[in-house]
Amino acid sequence: MKPPPVTLQQALQIAEKYIAENKIEIGRYWPQEAKWVLPEGATMKESHWFFFWNNLGTGRGDYVEIEVDMNGHPLRRPSM
């Protein structure tokens, strides 16, 4: 198995740039999770990096999720 074409460090930089460009306020959030996701039966190109920032002070449903695909494209998942 080969490493993903986009490294963790590159994906985090892409996610942080996306956050800055879209003026997403994450000052009150803490990074809780970063993982590489390769769905069963998927190819390496279909994998992505997943980043999760949680707001530990306000309860459930207040978080930021961003995925970065292997082409370097970020996508924000809506929170509740």
Side-chain angles (χ1 to χ4, degrees), residues 18-19 24-26 29-30 33 50-55 61-66 76-79:
Y18 177 85
I19 287 167
I24 301 169
E25 178 54 52
I26 63 164
Y29 295 82
W30 294 92
E33 186 176 359
F50 171 81
F51 298 98
F52 183 85
W53 287 266
N54 196 1
N55 185 344
D62 189 11
Y63 54 86
V64 175
E65 289 181 346
I66 296 179
R76 182 178 182 184
R77 295 287 180 194
S79 60

Side-chain angles (χ1 to χ4, degrees), residues 37-51:
V37 179
L38 177 62
E40 188 174 332
T43 66
M44 181 68 73
K45 287 231 176 238
E46 296 169 314
S47 67
H48 62 271
W49 287 100
F50 171 81
F51 298 98

Side-chain angles (χ1 to χ4, degrees), residues 3 6 13 16 20 29 44 52 57 59 67 69 72-73 76 80:
V6 175
Q13 288 175 343
E16 289 175 333
Y29 295 82
M44 181 68 73
F52 183 85
E67 295 179 5
D69 68 20
H73 300 118
R76 182 178 182 184
M80 295 179 155

